[in-house]
PDB file of all heavy atoms in Angstrom:
ATOM      1  N   LYS A 293       0.822  -1.226   0.001  1.00  0.00           N
ATOM      2  CA  LYS A 293      -0.002   0.008  -0.015  1.00  0.00           C
ATOM      3  C   LYS A 293       0.859   1.277   0.008  1.00  0.00           C
ATOM      4  O   LYS A 293       0.558   2.249  -0.700  1.00  0.00           O
ATOM      5  CB  LYS A 293      -0.923  -0.027   1.216  1.00  0.00           C
ATOM      6  CG  LYS A 293      -1.915   1.137   1.249  1.00  0.00           C
ATOM      7  CD  LYS A 293      -3.000   0.935   2.306  1.00  0.00           C
ATOM      8  CE  LYS A 293      -2.425   0.773   3.690  1.00  0.00           C
ATOM      9  NZ  LYS A 293      -3.511   0.658   4.729  1.00  0.00           N
ATOM     10  N   ASN A 294       1.927   1.267   0.794  1.00  0.00           N
ATOM     11  CA  ASN A 294       2.763   2.439   0.963  1.00  0.00           C
ATOM     12  C   ASN A 294       3.729   2.706  -0.182  1.00  0.00           C
ATOM     13  O   ASN A 294       4.085   3.840  -0.472  1.00  0.00           O
ATOM     14  CB  ASN A 294       3.521   2.404   2.281  1.00  0.00           C
ATOM     15  CG  ASN A 294       2.601   2.424   3.504  1.00  0.00           C
ATOM     16  OD1 ASN A 294       1.477   2.927   3.428  1.00  0.00           O
ATOM     17  ND2 ASN A 294       3.055   1.861   4.607  1.00  0.00           N
ATOM     18  N   GLU A 295       4.179   1.637  -0.826  1.00  0.00           N
ATOM     19  CA  GLU A 295       5.235   1.803  -1.838  1.00  0.00           C
ATOM     20  C   GLU A 295       4.665   1.675  -3.278  1.00  0.00           C
ATOM     21  O   GLU A 295       5.429   1.793  -4.208  1.00  0.00           O
ATOM     22  CB  GLU A 295       6.349   0.769  -1.630  1.00  0.00           C
ATOM     23  CG  GLU A 295       7.067   0.908  -0.316  1.00  0.00           C
ATOM     24  CD  GLU A 295       8.186  -0.110  -0.152  1.00  0.00           C
ATOM     25  OE1 GLU A 295       8.595  -0.703  -1.175  1.00  0.00           O
ATOM     26  OE2 GLU A 295       8.624  -0.315   1.008  1.00  0.00           O
ATOM     27  N   THR A 296       3.408   1.454  -3.387  1.00  0.00           N
ATOM     28  CA  THR A 296       2.834   1.165  -4.709  1.00  0.00           C
ATOM     29  C   THR A 296       2.903   2.382  -5.639  1.00  0.00           C
ATOM     30  O   THR A 296       2.725   3.518  -5.228  1.00  0.00           O
ATOM     31  CB  THR A 296       1.390   0.658  -4.611  1.00  0.00           C
ATOM     32  OG1 THR A 296       0.999   0.164  -5.880  1.00  0.00           O
ATOM     33  CG2 THR A 296       0.441   1.792  -4.190  1.00  0.00           C
ATOM     34  N   ARG A 297       3.139   2.066  -6.881  1.00  0.00           N
ATOM     35  CA  ARG A 297       3.077   3.045  -7.969  1.00  0.00           C
ATOM     36  C   ARG A 297       2.216   2.366  -9.051  1.00  0.00           C
ATOM     37  O   ARG A 297       2.750   1.617  -9.861  1.00  0.00           O
ATOM     38  CB  ARG A 297       4.471   3.371  -8.509  1.00  0.00           C
ATOM     39  CG  ARG A 297       5.363   4.082  -7.512  1.00  0.00           C
ATOM     40  CD  ARG A 297       6.793   3.974  -7.974  1.00  0.00           C
ATOM     41  NE  ARG A 297       7.258   2.548  -7.936  1.00  0.00           N
ATOM     42  CZ  ARG A 297       8.369   2.134  -8.536  1.00  0.00           C
ATOM     43  NH1 ARG A 297       9.138   2.958  -9.225  1.00  0.00           N
ATOM     44  NH2 ARG A 297       8.725   0.857  -8.445  1.00  0.00           N
ATOM     45  N   PRO A 298       0.913   2.563  -9.045  1.00  0.00           N
ATOM     46  CA  PRO A 298       0.057   1.882  -9.995  1.00  0.00           C
ATOM     47  C   PRO A 298       0.601   1.956 -11.403  1.00  0.00           C
ATOM     48  O   PRO A 298       1.011   3.034 -11.864  1.00  0.00           O
ATOM     49  CB  PRO A 298      -1.293   2.616  -9.850  1.00  0.00           C
ATOM     50  CG  PRO A 298      -1.289   3.098  -8.447  1.00  0.00           C
ATOM     51  CD  PRO A 298       0.147   3.517  -8.150  1.00  0.00           C
ATOM     52  N   PHE A 299       0.587   0.825 -12.084  1.00  0.00           N
ATOM     53  CA  PHE A 299       1.122   0.748 -13.443  1.00  0.00           C
ATOM     54  C   PHE A 299       0.061   0.108 -14.333  1.00  0.00           C
ATOM     55  O   PHE A 299      -0.448  -0.986 -14.049  1.00  0.00           O
ATOM     56  CB  PHE A 299       2.418  -0.109 -13.430  1.00  0.00           C
ATOM     57  CG  PHE A 299       3.122  -0.173 -14.760  1.00  0.00           C
ATOM     58  CD1 PHE A 299       3.946   0.870 -15.117  1.00  0.00           C
ATOM     59  CD2 PHE A 299       2.931  -1.219 -15.630  1.00  0.00           C
ATOM     60  CE1 PHE A 299       4.612   0.848 -16.353  1.00  0.00           C
ATOM     61  CE2 PHE A 299       3.578  -1.245 -16.848  1.00  0.00           C
ATOM     62  CZ  PHE A 299       4.444  -0.214 -17.231  1.00  0.00           C
ATOM     63  N   ASN A 300      -0.286   0.845 -15.389  1.00  0.00           N
ATOM     64  CA  ASN A 300      -1.283   0.321 -16.337  1.00  0.00           C
ATOM     65  C   ASN A 300      -2.624   0.024 -15.626  1.00  0.00           C
ATOM     66  O   ASN A 300      -3.334  -0.904 -16.013  1.00  0.00           O
ATOM     67  CB  ASN A 300      -0.744  -0.893 -17.036  1.00  0.00           C
ATOM     68  CG  ASN A 300      -1.533  -1.274 -18.280  1.00  0.00           C
ATOM     69  OD1 ASN A 300      -2.025  -0.403 -18.987  1.00  0.00           O
ATOM     70  ND2 ASN A 300      -1.661  -2.568 -18.534  1.00  0.00           N
ATOM     71  N   GLY A 301      -2.923   0.791 -14.565  1.00  0.00           N
ATOM     72  CA  GLY A 301      -4.177   0.624 -13.878  1.00  0.00           C
ATOM     73  C   GLY A 301      -4.111  -0.465 -12.803  1.00  0.00           C
ATOM     74  O   GLY A 301      -5.169  -0.764 -12.154  1.00  0.00           O
ATOM     75  N   TRP A 302      -2.969  -1.116 -12.596  1.00  0.00           N
ATOM     76  CA  TRP A 302      -2.847  -2.196 -11.651  1.00  0.00           C
ATOM     77  C   TRP A 302      -1.832  -1.857 -10.568  1.00  0.00           C
ATOM     78  O   TRP A 302      -0.897  -1.083 -10.761  1.00  0.00           O
ATOM     79  CB  TRP A 302      -2.316  -3.454 -12.349  1.00  0.00           C
ATOM     80  CG  TRP A 302      -3.345  -4.186 -13.184  1.00  0.00           C
ATOM     81  CD1 TRP A 302      -3.764  -3.831 -14.411  1.00  0.00           C
ATOM     82  CD2 TRP A 302      -3.993  -5.388 -12.823  1.00  0.00           C
ATOM     83  NE1 TRP A 302      -4.678  -4.745 -14.886  1.00  0.00           N
ATOM     84  CE2 TRP A 302      -4.814  -5.738 -13.935  1.00  0.00           C
ATOM     85  CE3 TRP A 302      -3.966  -6.243 -11.723  1.00  0.00           C
ATOM     86  CZ2 TRP A 302      -5.635  -6.880 -13.940  1.00  0.00           C
ATOM     87  CZ3 TRP A 302      -4.765  -7.392 -11.742  1.00  0.00           C
ATOM     88  CH2 TRP A 302      -5.598  -7.689 -12.802  1.00  0.00           C
ATOM     89  N   ILE A 303      -2.054  -2.416  -9.389  1.00  0.00           N
ATOM     90  CA  ILE A 303      -1.032  -2.455  -8.336  1.00  0.00           C
ATOM     91  C   ILE A 303      -0.360  -3.860  -8.406  1.00  0.00           C
ATOM     92  O   ILE A 303      -1.045  -4.873  -8.367  1.00  0.00           O
ATOM     93  CB  ILE A 303      -1.666  -2.264  -6.933  1.00  0.00           C
ATOM     94  CG1 ILE A 303      -2.206  -0.857  -6.795  1.00  0.00           C
ATOM     95  CG2 ILE A 303      -0.628  -2.531  -5.838  1.00  0.00           C
ATOM     96  CD1 ILE A 303      -3.003  -0.613  -5.532  1.00  0.00           C
ATOM     97  N   VAL A 304       0.953  -3.839  -8.603  1.00  0.00           N
ATOM     98  CA  VAL A 304       1.691  -5.087  -8.785  1.00  0.00           C
ATOM     99  C   VAL A 304       2.700  -5.261  -7.670  1.00  0.00           C
ATOM    100  O   VAL A 304       3.492  -4.345  -7.409  1.00  0.00           O
ATOM    101  CB  VAL A 304       2.375  -5.119 -10.164  1.00  0.00           C
ATOM    102  CG1 VAL A 304       3.190  -6.417 -10.331  1.00  0.00           C
ATOM    103  CG2 VAL A 304       1.364  -4.986 -11.301  1.00  0.00           C
ATOM    104  N   GLY A 305       2.683  -6.418  -7.055  1.00  0.00           N
ATOM    105  CA  GLY A 305       3.702  -6.785  -6.075  1.00  0.00           C
ATOM    106  C   GLY A 305       4.510  -7.962  -6.608  1.00  0.00           C
ATOM    107  O   GLY A 305       3.927  -8.863  -7.218  1.00  0.00           O
ATOM    108  N   THR A 306       5.796  -7.996  -6.398  1.00  0.00           N
ATOM    109  CA  THR A 306       6.605  -9.073  -6.933  1.00  0.00           C
ATOM    110  C   THR A 306       7.383  -9.785  -5.842  1.00  0.00           C
ATOM    111  O   THR A 306       7.628  -9.242  -4.757  1.00  0.00           O
ATOM    112  CB  THR A 306       7.629  -8.519  -7.969  1.00  0.00           C
ATOM    113  OG1 THR A 306       8.585  -7.645  -7.286  1.00  0.00           O
ATOM    114  CG2 THR A 306       6.932  -7.755  -9.074  1.00  0.00           C
ATOM    115  N   GLY A 307       7.759 -11.025  -6.087  1.00  0.00           N
ATOM    116  CA  GLY A 307       8.633 -11.771  -5.165  1.00  0.00           C
ATOM    117  C   GLY A 307       7.975 -12.341  -3.918  1.00  0.00           C
ATOM    118  O   GLY A 307       8.625 -12.663  -2.949  1.00  0.00           O
ATOM    119  N   TYR A 308       6.636 -12.435  -3.940  1.00  0.00           N
ATOM    120  CA  TYR A 308       5.892 -12.946  -2.806  1.00  0.00           C
ATOM    121  C   TYR A 308       6.241 -14.394  -2.474  1.00  0.00           C
ATOM    122  O   TYR A 308       6.268 -15.260  -3.384  1.00  0.00           O
ATOM    123  CB  TYR A 308       4.361 -12.790  -3.071  1.00  0.00           C
ATOM    124  CG  TYR A 308       3.469 -13.604  -2.128  1.00  0.00           C
ATOM    125  CD1 TYR A 308       3.401 -13.255  -0.783  1.00  0.00           C
ATOM    126  CD2 TYR A 308       2.716 -14.656  -2.595  1.00  0.00           C
ATOM    127  CE1 TYR A 308       2.534 -13.966   0.053  1.00  0.00           C
ATOM    128  CE2 TYR A 308       1.877 -15.380  -1.759  1.00  0.00           C
ATOM    129  CZ  TYR A 308       1.791 -15.029  -0.425  1.00  0.00           C
ATOM    130  OH  TYR A 308       0.957 -15.715   0.428  1.00  0.00           O
ATOM    131  N   ALA A 309       6.493 -14.696  -1.215  1.00  0.00           N
ATOM    132  CA  ALA A 309       6.794 -16.069  -0.792  1.00  0.00           C
ATOM    133  C   ALA A 309       6.168 -16.279   0.593  1.00  0.00           C
ATOM    134  O   ALA A 309       6.592 -15.701   1.557  1.00  0.00           O
ATOM    135  CB  ALA A 309       8.302 -16.307  -0.696  1.00  0.00           C
ATOM    136  N   GLU A 310       5.133 -17.106   0.619  1.00  0.00           N
ATOM    137  CA  GLU A 310       4.419 -17.300   1.890  1.00  0.00           C
ATOM    138  C   GLU A 310       5.301 -17.962   2.930  1.00  0.00           C
ATOM    139  O   GLU A 310       5.066 -17.770   4.148  1.00  0.00           O
ATOM    140  CB  GLU A 310       3.179 -18.183   1.631  1.00  0.00           C
ATOM    141  CG  GLU A 310       3.469 -19.580   1.155  1.00  0.00           C
ATOM    142  CD  GLU A 310       2.212 -20.364   0.856  1.00  0.00           C
ATOM    143  OE1 GLU A 310       1.509 -20.045  -0.116  1.00  0.00           O
ATOM    144  OE2 GLU A 310       1.892 -21.266   1.628  1.00  0.00           O
ATOM    145  N   ALA A 311       6.305 -18.712   2.523  1.00  0.00           N
ATOM    146  CA  ALA A 311       7.157 -19.422   3.482  1.00  0.00           C
ATOM    147  C   ALA A 311       7.882 -18.479   4.441  1.00  0.00           C
ATOM    148  O   ALA A 311       8.196 -18.856   5.551  1.00  0.00           O
ATOM    149  CB  ALA A 311       8.164 -20.288   2.729  1.00  0.00           C
ATOM    150  N   VAL A 312       8.152 -17.260   3.974  1.00  0.00           N
ATOM    151  CA  VAL A 312       8.906 -16.302   4.858  1.00  0.00           C
ATOM    152  C   VAL A 312       7.969 -15.452   5.710  1.00  0.00           C
ATOM    153  O   VAL A 312       8.458 -14.619   6.461  1.00  0.00           O
ATOM    154  CB  VAL A 312       9.835 -15.422   3.986  1.00  0.00           C
ATOM    155  CG1 VAL A 312      10.826 -16.289   3.195  1.00  0.00           C
ATOM    156  CG2 VAL A 312       9.061 -14.518   3.073  1.00  0.00           C
ATOM    157  N   LEU A 313       6.670 -15.617   5.577  1.00  0.00           N
ATOM    158  CA  LEU A 313       5.733 -14.902   6.418  1.00  0.00           C
ATOM    159  C   LEU A 313       5.383 -15.765   7.636  1.00  0.00           C
ATOM    160  O   LEU A 313       4.978 -16.906   7.500  1.00  0.00           O
ATOM    161  CB  LEU A 313       4.461 -14.555   5.639  1.00  0.00           C
ATOM    162  CG  LEU A 313       4.619 -13.698   4.365  1.00  0.00           C
ATOM    163  CD1 LEU A 313       3.293 -13.462   3.713  1.00  0.00           C
ATOM    164  CD2 LEU A 313       5.299 -12.373   4.691  1.00  0.00           C
ATOM    165  N   SER A 314       5.546 -15.195   8.800  1.00  0.00           N
ATOM    166  CA  SER A 314       5.369 -15.987  10.019  1.00  0.00           C
ATOM    167  C   SER A 314       3.948 -16.424  10.241  1.00  0.00           C
ATOM    168  O   SER A 314       3.696 -17.424  10.935  1.00  0.00           O
ATOM    169  CB  SER A 314       5.854 -15.155  11.234  1.00  0.00           C
ATOM    170  OG  SER A 314       5.069 -13.973  11.357  1.00  0.00           O
ATOM    171  N   ASP A 315       2.974 -15.722   9.656  1.00  0.00           N
ATOM    172  CA  ASP A 315       1.568 -16.084   9.848  1.00  0.00           C
ATOM    173  C   ASP A 315       0.931 -16.683   8.594  1.00  0.00           C
ATOM    174  O   ASP A 315      -0.292 -16.711   8.448  1.00  0.00           O
ATOM    175  CB  ASP A 315       0.761 -14.894  10.339  1.00  0.00           C
ATOM    176  CG  ASP A 315       1.016 -13.624   9.530  1.00  0.00           C
ATOM    177  OD1 ASP A 315       1.873 -13.638   8.631  1.00  0.00           O
ATOM    178  OD2 ASP A 315       0.328 -12.596   9.798  1.00  0.00           O
ATOM    179  N   GLY A 316       1.737 -17.185   7.653  1.00  0.00           N
ATOM    180  CA  GLY A 316       1.238 -17.962   6.560  1.00  0.00           C
ATOM    181  C   GLY A 316       0.821 -17.171   5.332  1.00  0.00           C
ATOM    182  O   GLY A 316       1.116 -15.957   5.210  1.00  0.00           O
ATOM    183  N   ALA A 317       0.102 -17.830   4.436  1.00  0.00           N
ATOM    184  CA  ALA A 317      -0.246 -17.268   3.125  1.00  0.00           C
ATOM    185  C   ALA A 317      -1.347 -16.211   3.238  1.00  0.00           C
ATOM    186  O   ALA A 317      -2.244 -16.316   4.080  1.00  0.00           O
ATOM    187  CB  ALA A 317      -0.704 -18.377   2.202  1.00  0.00           C
ATOM    188  N   ILE A 318      -1.269 -15.245   2.387  1.00  0.00           N
ATOM    189  CA  ILE A 318      -2.274 -14.213   2.346  1.00  0.00           C
ATOM    190  C   ILE A 318      -3.523 -14.750   1.617  1.00  0.00           C
ATOM    191  O   ILE A 318      -3.419 -15.567   0.716  1.00  0.00           O
ATOM    192  CB  ILE A 318      -1.763 -12.945   1.616  1.00  0.00           C
ATOM    193  CG1 ILE A 318      -2.657 -11.713   1.941  1.00  0.00           C
ATOM    194  CG2 ILE A 318      -1.600 -13.150   0.126  1.00  0.00           C
ATOM    195  CD1 ILE A 318      -2.002 -10.431   1.567  1.00  0.00           C
ATOM    196  N   SER A 319      -4.712 -14.315   2.030  1.00  0.00           N
ATOM    197  CA  SER A 319      -5.954 -14.811   1.443  1.00  0.00           C
ATOM    198  C   SER A 319      -6.575 -13.763   0.513  1.00  0.00           C
ATOM    199  O   SER A 319      -6.261 -12.565   0.586  1.00  0.00           O
ATOM    200  CB  SER A 319      -6.937 -15.203   2.524  1.00  0.00           C
ATOM    201  OG  SER A 319      -7.400 -14.052   3.220  1.00  0.00           O
ATOM    202  N   LEU A 320      -7.504 -14.211  -0.283  1.00  0.00           N
ATOM    203  CA  LEU A 320      -8.230 -13.307  -1.175  1.00  0.00           C
ATOM    204  C   LEU A 320      -9.008 -12.294  -0.329  1.00  0.00           C
ATOM    205  O   LEU A 320      -9.053 -11.106  -0.663  1.00  0.00           O
ATOM    206  CB  LEU A 320      -9.180 -14.105  -2.081  1.00  0.00           C
ATOM    207  CG  LEU A 320     -10.087 -13.293  -2.993  1.00  0.00           C
ATOM    208  CD1 LEU A 320      -9.261 -12.463  -3.964  1.00  0.00           C
ATOM    209  CD2 LEU A 320     -11.027 -14.226  -3.763  1.00  0.00           C
ATOM    210  N   ALA A 321      -9.605 -12.722   0.767  1.00  0.00           N
ATOM    211  CA  ALA A 321     -10.398 -11.837   1.638  1.00  0.00           C
ATOM    212  C   ALA A 321      -9.504 -10.738   2.184  1.00  0.00           C
ATOM    213  O   ALA A 321      -9.918  -9.570   2.260  1.00  0.00           O
ATOM    214  CB  ALA A 321     -11.038 -12.626   2.746  1.00  0.00           C
ATOM    215  N   GLU A 322      -8.290 -11.088   2.611  1.00  0.00           N
ATOM    216  CA  GLU A 322      -7.380 -10.080   3.189  1.00  0.00           C
ATOM    217  C   GLU A 322      -6.922  -9.107   2.125  1.00  0.00           C
ATOM    218  O   GLU A 322      -6.784  -7.897   2.371  1.00  0.00           O
ATOM    219  CB  GLU A 322      -6.180 -10.797   3.798  1.00  0.00           C
ATOM    220  CG  GLU A 322      -6.526 -11.554   5.080  1.00  0.00           C
ATOM    221  CD  GLU A 322      -5.467 -12.536   5.488  1.00  0.00           C
ATOM    222  OE1 GLU A 322      -4.749 -13.095   4.613  1.00  0.00           O
ATOM    223  OE2 GLU A 322      -5.338 -12.775   6.723  1.00  0.00           O
ATOM    224  N   LEU A 323      -6.708  -9.589   0.927  1.00  0.00           N
ATOM    225  CA  LEU A 323      -6.306  -8.698  -0.196  1.00  0.00           C
ATOM    226  C   LEU A 323      -7.469  -7.765  -0.561  1.00  0.00           C
ATOM    227  O   LEU A 323      -7.212  -6.579  -0.807  1.00  0.00           O
ATOM    228  CB  LEU A 323      -5.927  -9.590  -1.387  1.00  0.00           C
ATOM    229  CG  LEU A 323      -4.964  -8.978  -2.430  1.00  0.00           C
ATOM    230  CD1 LEU A 323      -3.688  -8.477  -1.779  1.00  0.00           C
ATOM    231  CD2 LEU A 323      -4.622 -10.058  -3.476  1.00  0.00           C
ATOM    232  N   ASP A 324      -8.677  -8.295  -0.556  1.00  0.00           N
ATOM    233  CA  ASP A 324      -9.818  -7.493  -0.927  1.00  0.00           C
ATOM    234  C   ASP A 324     -10.099  -6.408   0.131  1.00  0.00           C
ATOM    235  O   ASP A 324     -10.544  -5.298  -0.200  1.00  0.00           O
ATOM    236  CB  ASP A 324     -11.069  -8.364  -1.078  1.00  0.00           C
ATOM    237  CG  ASP A 324     -11.088  -9.137  -2.391  1.00  0.00           C
ATOM    238  OD1 ASP A 324     -10.299  -8.776  -3.297  1.00  0.00           O
ATOM    239  OD2 ASP A 324     -11.889 -10.080  -2.499  1.00  0.00           O
ATOM    240  N   GLN A 325      -9.868  -6.765   1.405  1.00  0.00           N
ATOM    241  CA  GLN A 325     -10.129  -5.793   2.482  1.00  0.00           C
ATOM    242  C   GLN A 325      -9.199  -4.588   2.344  1.00  0.00           C
ATOM    243  O   GLN A 325      -9.648  -3.438   2.591  1.00  0.00           O
ATOM    244  CB  GLN A 325      -9.908  -6.466   3.817  1.00  0.00           C
ATOM    245  CG  GLN A 325     -10.280  -5.576   5.007  1.00  0.00           C
ATOM    246  CD  GLN A 325     -10.173  -6.300   6.346  1.00  0.00           C
ATOM    247  OE1 GLN A 325      -9.753  -7.448   6.395  1.00  0.00           O
ATOM    248  NE2 GLN A 325     -10.510  -5.618   7.394  1.00  0.00           N
ATOM    249  N   THR A 326      -7.973  -4.801   1.953  1.00  0.00           N
ATOM    250  CA  THR A 326      -7.039  -3.696   1.827  1.00  0.00           C
ATOM    251  C   THR A 326      -7.175  -2.963   0.499  1.00  0.00           C
ATOM    252  O   THR A 326      -7.063  -1.739   0.402  1.00  0.00           O
ATOM    253  CB  THR A 326      -5.600  -4.207   1.947  1.00  0.00           C
ATOM    254  OG1 THR A 326      -5.439  -4.963   3.146  1.00  0.00           O
ATOM    255  CG2 THR A 326      -4.596  -3.058   1.950  1.00  0.00           C
TER     256      THR A 326
END
């Protein structure tokens, strides 16, 4: 949210790896809420 620079109408995040997140994988509901 803080570092995004929308490109072509999209917010794009790269390099996501759920294994390095202490509380597991992100869900569609969590993504939609933000």
Side-chain angles (χ1 to χ4, degrees):
K293 185 167 61 175
N294 295 335
E295 297 181 18
T296 191
R297 294 162 295 165
F299 186 81
N300 196 34
W302 285 77
I303 292 172
V304 177
T306 65
Y308 165 66
E310 64 183 71
V312 302
L313 301 180
S314 61
D315 48 356
I318 196 164
S319 69
L320 177 61
E322 291 166 328
L323 203 53
D324 284 346
Q325 185 175 2
T326 307

